[in-house]
Amino acid sequence: MRSPTQLDLSEQDIAAIVAEGLGTGITGAEELSGGTFAAVWKAGLDDGRQVVVKVGPPESARMLRYEAGMIPAEAEYFSMVAAHVPDVPVPAVLAATPGWIITSLLPGTPLTGHDSARARAECGAAVRRVHTITGDHFGYTGDRASGADWPTAFQAIIDDLRADAADWNVPLPPLDGVVARHRDVLAAVTRPALLHFDLWDGNVLVGPDGALTGLVDGERYLYGDPLLDLVSPAIRHRIEEMPDHPFLAGYRPAPFDESARVRLTLYRIHLYTLMIAEGPSRGIQLTDGRHDHLTGLLERELADL
């Protein structure tokens, strides 16, 4: 089912975007599956190259607060990574506007549970290198949630998600005071590292030899605690309880002390809150079982915190 935030496009629409952005024609195009925010197509160019065309939501679509400007944000993320850590494989930005982005098509396919540990370890190592890039503030860019320090930015991020849930009449467990009670722990983070945030298997590409071939979908990037990027590679699990996880072998984090474990719990609370809040904007009914499952995961983290 197509998400309400995804435009229903045709090959002719993609041809028009490519002509505007690259000044060339296409030999064909097909829509790609996997995401729920933007419409994503693969297109062949007249010169033989393959590109990806991502088109943002229609102006009429209701989105979460942090999702404003995510198409330009993706171009920013890929460009920053390419400029500062060129050995990390990300798509090349070929053309971009506020409404769409055209990038190179990377080789490989999304990770699955059957892939070798090599790509996951190489992903961890690549993300560690990306984390050396430092921003000038914490949180998101533009008018979205941000702050001069990490506790302030993280509180604003959670507040926006709670406001989104209220706007859509999505029930959440009580979250009052959760961030404020752990402000001192969050304050230990003093450098705003560049974070991908969305490193689930679908956004990590692997080649036939088991090697990492790309990190994609960087539109949700923000600046903050590097530990936040250790949540989605083990989504619905606790990576600090998985010492043999190959992502950790590549990333090589410091031992998880009490502060790190509390922060990881807070970041899972953030992720599950986001996933619950976004459901209706993607056309997902609260009664389909997903909401109750995610709420159970969120309540477990809150109880342990």
Side-chain angles (χ1 to χ4, degrees), residues 123-139:
C123 177
V127 170
R128 183 182 180 91
R129 296 196 296 278
V130 171
H131 286 170
T132 64
I133 302 173
T134 303
D136 60 5
H137 68 280
F138 290 90

Side-chain angles (χ1 to χ4, degrees), residues 1-304:
M1 182 180 68
R2 187 180 300 278
S3 164
T5 62
Q6 292 176 308
L7 281 168
D8 187 6
L9 302 173
S10 66
E11 184 173 321
Q12 289 71 31
D13 295 323
I14 300 303
I17 291 172
V18 170
E20 178 184 350
L22 302 179
T24 187
I26 66 172
T27 58
E30 61 178 295
E31 189 167 14
L32 302 177
S33 61
T36 62
F37 177 71
V40 184
W41 285 65
K42 177 175 72 173
L45 304 185
D46 286 345
D47 63 9
R49 287 180 294 165
Q50 296 282 311
V51 299
V52 173
V53 181
K54 178 179 285 190
V55 184
E59 293 184 2
S60 60
R62 291 178 62 192
M63 300 181 294
L64 305 189
R65 286 164 171 80
Y66 89 99
E67 292 176 328
M70 287 217 305
I71 296 299
E74 178 152 73
E76 294 166 4
Y77 180 85
F78 291 152
S79 297
M80 283 190 288
V81 172
H84 294 281
V85 279
D87 60 332
V88 172
V90 294
V93 178
L94 305 178
T97 72
W100 51 256
I101 177 176
I102 304 174
T103 68
S104 60
L105 175 69
L106 295 179
T109 56
L111 278 172
T112 71
H114 303 290
D115 286 308
S116 72
R118 176 182 173 185
R120 298 181 190 277
E122 291 178 354
C123 177
V127 170
R128 183 182 180 91
R129 296 196 296 278
V130 171
H131 286 170
T132 64
I133 302 173
T134 303
D136 60 5
H137 68 280
F138 290 90
Y140 295 105
T141 56
D143 295 329
R144 299 175 295 166
S146 63
D149 57 67
W150 183 229
T152 300
F154 191 69
Q155 180 70 70
I157 290 168
I158 295 296
D159 288 346
D160 272 2
L161 291 175
R162 296 181 70 187
D164 290 326
D167 290 346
W168 289 89
N169 296 314
V170 177
L172 288 171
L175 294 171
D176 290 344
V178 169
V179 177
R181 287 194 296 272
H182 300 91
R183 186 176 182 89
D184 289 348
V185 176
L186 293 167
V189 180
T190 57
R191 185 181 68 86
L194 177 63
L195 310 177
H196 184 287
F197 170 72
D198 203 16
L199 292 165
W200 70 291
D201 284 2
N203 290 337
V204 180
L205 303 182
V206 58
D209 61 352
L212 175 73
T213 60
L215 304 179
V216 298
D217 284 6
E219 71 265 27
R220 289 172 172 80
Y221 89 85
L222 70 160
Y223 296 102
D225 184 355
L227 286 180
L228 188 144
D229 264 347
L230 273 61
V231 172
S232 53
I235 194 167
R236 295 184 172 87
H237 299 282
R238 295 172 170 176
I239 200 166
E240 68 272 27
E241 297 176 358
M242 307 170 71
D244 296 327
H245 196 293
F247 183 93
L248 296 180
Y251 190 91
R252 295 181 291 108
F256 296 119
D257 59 14
E258 184 63 21
S259 171
R261 290 174 181 272
V262 169
R263 281 149 48 208
L264 283 165
T265 302
L266 287 168
Y267 304 151
R268 284 189 292 270
I269 288 170
H270 162 242
L271 176 61
Y272 297 145
T273 301
L274 186 157
M275 293 174 71
I276 293 169
E278 75 178 1
S281 72
R282 305 302 194 260
I284 301 171
Q285 301 298 315
L286 297 180
T287 56
D288 76 342
R290 177 181 182 272
H291 176 270
D292 289 346
H293 174 66
L294 291 170
T295 298
L297 292 173
L298 176 54
E299 288 175 338
R300 177 193 177 200
E301 299 296 339
L302 288 167
D304 287 356

